[in-house]
Amino acid sequence: MNIAIIFAGGSGIRMGTGVPKQFLEINGKPVIIHTLQLFEYHEDIDRIYLAVLEDYIDYMEELVEEYHISKVRCILPGGETAQDTIYNALKKAESENAPDSIVLIHDGVRPFVSYDTISANISGVKEFGNAITSTPCFETILISEDGTSVDSVPYRKSTYAAQAPQSFYLKDIIAAHDTVRARPTRYENMVDACTIIKSQGIEAHMISGNRGNIKVTTPEDVYMFRALLQYQENEQAFGLGLTGRNKARINEALKKQSKLK
């Protein structure tokens, strides 16, 4: 199985709205649905495990039904932290799938990951054992302990931004989580799965992501996401080709039609 673990348990404080950012409507549908559809329409994804704020589970179930997200296997309540939320979803996946299943851990408010990036994550796990989506940094990165003085400036050519998905064999990432959870500090300073495995000396393998794979966190990000959607629509309107997602949908529809015949 190739499994997507989508975590969307944040409260959206930085967005400054009365609704969690994953449920903001952009171009007529919630951000979380934009994200889920990327995995729903990818032909190599078999199942989706989704974690959201507990108070929003009923609403999320309605959205999944309304938008026909058929690959969602389970909707779980979020945990105390993002990593607790992910762990809960991983354990649920473990109870229903083979240990050598591939899991793609993805943020519910990254609604523009490309079809090819999802494919590259699956291939990366098969080849290297894990896959960390990343893009080169085009701006200079500054290291500062106090947020006022510059302590060091890494060579820009050596800096990359980690994104999502971050992908692993199911048994491996659960084992890494279990090691962290057994420590007194637990998830302190553990910002993502890449941090977790690196803290245990496990080599992390990078795969190239798409630069439009933004995280919708602030109001400015909403404008960027709308612009990216318009760019994608213009590509199709001007005859530059279908997106990978639409290709997958059309292929799937054609397969179903041929079976009916």
Side-chain angles (χ1 to χ4, degrees):
M1 287 289 178
N2 296 322
I3 300 163
I5 301 289
I6 310 295
F7 61 101
S11 57
I13 294 173
R14 280 173 288 181
M15 185 64 74
T17 63
V19 64
K21 56 195 174 184
Q22 55 270 33
F23 296 112
L24 288 175
E25 287 199 4
I26 299 179
N27 279 27
K29 59 188 173 187
V31 170
I32 186 62
I33 294 299
H34 283 281
T35 302
L36 287 171
Q37 286 179 331
L38 300 175
F39 293 88
E40 173 73 18
Y41 300 143
H42 197 292
E43 54 200 3
D44 292 332
I45 297 298
D46 300 301
R47 290 178 174 177
I48 300 171
Y49 290 80
L50 174 61
V52 300
L53 292 165
E54 188 167 9
D55 291 345
Y56 285 81
I57 287 179
D58 289 345
Y59 177 53
M60 191 68 248
E61 289 175 345
E62 291 178 9
L63 290 177
V64 165
E65 183 176 356
E66 178 182 352
Y67 288 95
H68 308 290
I69 311 296
S70 62
K71 292 181 182 178
V72 170
R73 181 80 173 185
C74 182
I75 302 175
L76 302 157
E80 184 177 344
T81 69
Q83 297 308 317
D84 285 312
T85 296
I86 292 166
Y87 183 75
N88 292 344
L90 287 169
K91 292 298 286 184
K92 180 62 176 177
E94 181 186 44
S95 71
E96 299 180 347
N97 299 277
D100 60 349
S101 296
I102 292 174
V103 291
L104 293 80
I105 300 171
H106 192 73
D107 195 322
V109 290
R110 283 193 187 271
F112 215 79
V113 60
S114 74
Y115 182 93
D116 290 340
T117 297
I118 293 173
S119 298
N121 269 263
I122 295 170
S123 298
V125 174
K126 290 178 179 178
E127 185 174 356
F128 301 113
N130 59 58
I132 308 299
T133 305
S134 58
T135 55
C137 290
F138 290 163
E139 297 188 40
T140 300
I141 302 299
L142 307 178
I143 306 298
S144 174
E145 292 294 329
D146 60 10
T148 302
S149 302
V150 176
D151 297 320
S152 62
V153 183
Y155 187 37
R156 185 168 60 187
K157 190 176 180 181
S158 302
T159 60
Y160 295 80
Q163 298 181 331
Q166 296 186 0
S167 305
F168 310 85
Y169 285 113
L170 180 58
K171 64 181 187 303
D172 293 343
I173 190 59
I174 288 179
H177 270 270
D178 286 339
T179 298
V180 169
R181 294 172 72 86
R183 299 171 179 170
T185 54
R186 286 171 54 86
Y187 291 118
E188 184 177 340
N189 297 323
M190 299 290 166
V191 296
D192 60 7
C194 182
T195 314
I196 288 174
I197 66 169
K198 287 301 293 178
S199 73
Q200 298 169 40
I202 300 170
E203 186 173 359
H205 296 271
M206 298 161 58
I207 62 106
S208 296
N210 58 295
R211 294 200 62 80
N213 186 14
I214 63 169
K215 184 177 180 181
V216 179
T217 303
T218 67
E220 291 83 1
D221 297 328
V222 173
Y223 290 110
M224 289 179 65
F225 180 47
R226 284 177 176 155
L228 287 165
L229 286 172
Q230 185 175 17
Y231 170 77
Q232 188 180 74
E233 290 168 358
N234 288 343
E235 272 195 317
Q236 295 180 55
F238 297 140
L240 298 178
L242 293 170
T243 63
R245 181 180 69 180
N246 283 340
K247 284 180 184 176
R249 292 184 71 183
I250 291 170
N251 288 340
E252 189 64 26
L254 290 173
K255 284 180 185 177
K256 289 179 180 178
Q257 189 174 19
S258 64
K259 287 179 181 179
L260 290 173
K261 291 180 179 179

